[in-house]
Amino acid sequence: MTETTFGQALARLWPHATQDLRDGITARAPEVFAKYGFTPLVIAIFMGQITHECGAGRELVENLNYSPEGIVKTWPSRFASLAEAMPFAHAPQKLANKVYNGRMGNRPGSNDGWSFRGRGGTNTTGHDGYFRLAQKMAVDLLGDPGLVNRPDLFLECAVVDFVLCGCVPFAQRDDIRGVTYHLNGGYIGLAQREDLTKRWKTALTAEHGQAALFPAPVARPAGELGYGDSGFEVKGLQGELKAKGYGVGKDDGEFHESTRGAVAKLQLDHGLPATGVVDHATREALARSTGAPVGEARATDTVQDLRQAGSRTIAGTDRLGFLGKLKVLLGLTTLGGVGADQGGAFDLDSVQAGIDKAHQAAGMLDQVRPMLKALFSSSWALPIGALAAVIGILVLIDAARIARIRLEDHRSAANMGR
C-alpha cells in the first residue's frame, strides 16, 4: 500500500478530520499494517470499523453529554426511570463515573470512569482497556490516556486494540458482523459499518485489485491449525493455552472463536502477526511462553470487585452462602426448640414465627411449615437439628472456597469466564 493512494482515500472518506491526524495516519499506515500482517481486505474492514467508531476522525473522545431520555435508553439496567437519570443529565464526568466505575478495571468511587472514557479509533474504554494497550505500545496511556489520539500513535493504537479484541480472524474471512460484535460487544450501527466498509473496499480496489480484497480461500499448510479444525490436536492445543493463562473457552477439541482469540492474543504477546492460525512460529512461542501477562487491575481485584462486575460464579456462591446460613439457622432453631421443650418453656408459636420469616425470604415457607411442626414434636428433632447445622456450616465453607478459587483464577487470568 502506498501512502499516496491511502492518503487520498483517507482525505475523501475523513473530510472533517484534522490535517494533522490524517497526516499522522497516512505516514504510519504502510509500516503499521505490515507490522501486524493486515491484508488489503483486513485494512478495508478495519478502516470501515474505525470510521464508524470515531465519526471519521471527528469524535475522538466519547461524548457523555446525555439528556435524561438518552441516559435511560443507553443504560436501561442502571437507570430505571427519568427521575433516576436526571442528576446525571448533561453532567458528563458524573455520568462516566456512574456507568463505568466498578467494571473494566475502574475503581468504585474513583474518577476512573471519566479518566478512561472512550477514546481513539476503536473507542478504547476502561482502565483494563488502556492498560493492555499500554503494555503492547510501551506508552504511558494510564498516566495520559489522551495519547491514543496523538496523530503519530492513533493508527497503531487502533490496530492493536482491533487485534486484542479478536477481530482479525473475522476480518480475514470478510465477516463484518463478527468483527462488529467483537469490537463493539454488540451490533450497534452494523448497517452503517457495512456501508463504510464497502466504501473503503472501493477506495482500495484501485490499488490492490478485486482479488486482493475478495481473495479465494487458501488451504493451510500441513501441520497448521485454525478456525474450524477439530480433533485431539486441537484439544491438546487448548490444554496448553489454558495452562499458560489464555482463555480458550471450552477445551472441547473444536477450534472455535474463543480458541482463535486466545491464539491471536498469544501471537501478539510474542510479537507475531495476530492471524489466529497456529503455525510453527506460534507453536514455538507457546512452548517458551511463561504465561499470559496479567493486567494490574485483574491481579489486585477482590471478590467484591467480581460481585460488582456481575460474576455469575460469585452470585452463585452468594446464593449458596444464603442457603448455608438458612440451614444453620434452622438447625440451631431446631436444637433450641428441643432444649426448650425438654425444659418445659418451649413456645412453638414464637419459634415458628422466626422460622416463618427465614423461609419467607427463601420462598419455601409453604412447603416446610408442616414438616417443621412435626419435626419439633419428634424424637428425631435433636439429631436432625444438629445435622442441619453441620450441613449449613459445610455449605458456607464450600461457598467461600468456590469464591476463593474463582478469585484466584480471575487474578491469574487462568479462567476468563465469569
Side-chain angles (χ1 to χ4, degrees):
M1 170 176 290
T2 64
E3 283 189 32
T4 302
T5 304
F6 182 81
Q8 290 172 343
L10 187 65
R12 186 166 63 255
L13 295 173
W14 289 33
H16 302 294
T18 66
Q19 189 63 49
D20 283 348
L21 179 62
R22 289 203 303 263
D23 288 346
I25 294 173
T26 302
R28 294 293 312 281
E31 169 202 349
V32 170
F33 289 143
K35 178 179 178 180
Y36 294 95
F38 276 28
T39 63
L41 173 61
V42 174
I43 293 170
I45 292 176
F46 164 77
M47 289 305 301
Q49 290 286 333
I50 71 168
T51 299
H52 180 274
E53 289 286 342
C54 71
R58 290 174 298 175
E59 303 166 6
L60 303 185
V61 181
E62 183 179 9
N63 181 5
L64 287 154
N65 187 19
Y66 282 78
S67 66
E69 293 80 7
I71 291 175
V72 173
K73 182 179 179 181
T74 306
W75 293 282
S77 64
R78 292 178 177 267
F79 300 93
S81 67
L82 291 177
E84 290 184 23
M86 282 294 292
F88 301 91
H90 306 297
Q93 184 170 353
K94 187 176 180 181
L95 178 61
N97 290 330
K98 167 69 175 177
V99 299
Y100 290 147
N101 279 354
R103 61 193 185 99
M104 299 184 291
N106 295 335
R107 297 163 298 175
S110 71
N111 197 44
D112 287 354
W114 176 249
S115 298
F116 301 113
R117 62 194 185 279
R119 292 184 182 85
T122 51
N123 201 33
T124 301
T125 308
H127 176 282
D128 284 353
Y130 282 90
F131 179 76
R132 65 178 185 170
L133 192 55
Q135 282 186 310
K136 304 307 172 193
M137 295 289 296
V139 175
D140 183 19
L141 299 180
L142 297 184
D144 185 359
L147 288 174
V148 298
N149 286 330
R150 203 173 80 182
D152 62 323
L153 296 176
F154 181 90
L155 181 64
E156 188 168 7
C157 282
V159 165
V160 171
D161 203 28
F162 189 82
V163 172
L164 286 170
C165 288
C167 297
V168 172
F170 298 92
Q172 289 172 331
R173 68 173 196 266
D174 202 15
D175 181 358
I176 300 172
R177 184 179 177 85
V179 171
T180 299
Y181 180 80
H182 281 74
L183 187 64
N184 175 257
Y187 301 103
I188 295 174
L190 179 60
Q192 186 180 11
R193 293 170 194 265
E194 291 173 337
D195 179 64
L196 290 169
T197 299
K198 287 179 182 178
R199 295 186 188 188
W200 274 100
K201 286 179 177 178
T202 300
L204 298 179
T205 295
E207 179 179 1
H208 299 284
Q210 189 80 1
L213 290 165
F214 301 96
V218 178
R220 290 192 301 273
E224 289 191 357
L225 293 175
Y227 184 79
D229 287 337
S230 61
F232 70 93
E233 288 184 317
V234 175
K235 188 170 180 60
L237 168 70
Q238 291 171 328
E240 290 184 71
L241 287 166
K242 192 173 182 180
K244 296 294 178 69
Y246 291 94
V248 299
K250 293 182 179 179
D251 51 346
D252 53 5
E254 298 291 332
F255 203 116
H256 37 59
E257 295 172 6
S258 296
T259 300
R260 180 164 53 185
V263 171
K265 177 69 166 57
L266 168 75
Q267 291 168 328
L268 189 62
D269 288 342
H270 290 268
L272 300 172
T275 62
V277 175
V278 182
D279 54 14
H280 179 69
T282 303
R283 292 182 188 277
E284 287 188 338
L286 179 58
R288 67 174 182 270
S289 172
T290 57
V294 178
E296 175 189 355
R298 175 179 287 274
T300 58
D301 272 343
T302 65
V303 169
Q304 181 61 21
D305 292 326
L306 293 182
R307 182 178 291 112
Q308 291 179 344
S311 168
R312 293 188 296 267
T313 304
I314 298 303
T317 61
D318 287 343
R319 289 191 294 271
L320 190 61
F322 173 78
L323 291 176
K325 291 175 183 177
L326 184 61
K327 286 179 179 290
V328 172
L329 172 65
L330 293 179
L332 295 178
T333 304
T334 304
L335 290 172
V338 172
D341 188 46
Q342 290 172 345
F346 175 60
D347 182 355
L348 179 60
D349 290 337
S350 298
V351 175
Q352 186 64 50
I355 296 172
D356 285 355
K357 291 180 181 179
H359 285 84
Q360 210 168 23
M364 301 184 300
L365 176 59
D366 291 338
Q367 291 85 356
V368 301
R369 187 194 299 271
M371 178 186 70
L372 289 170
K373 287 183 176 179
L375 179 62
F376 282 153
S377 62
S378 168
S379 60
W380 290 94
L382 183 62
I384 290 176
L387 180 61
V390 170
I391 291 174
I393 293 170
L394 292 176
V395 169
L396 286 172
I397 293 172
D398 202 39
R401 181 185 63 83
I402 294 171
R404 185 178 65 254
I405 292 173
R406 178 66 192 92
L407 180 61
E408 290 172 355
D409 280 352
H410 172 82
R411 286 176 171 177
S412 67
N415 183 350
M416 300 298 284
R418 290 168 64 187

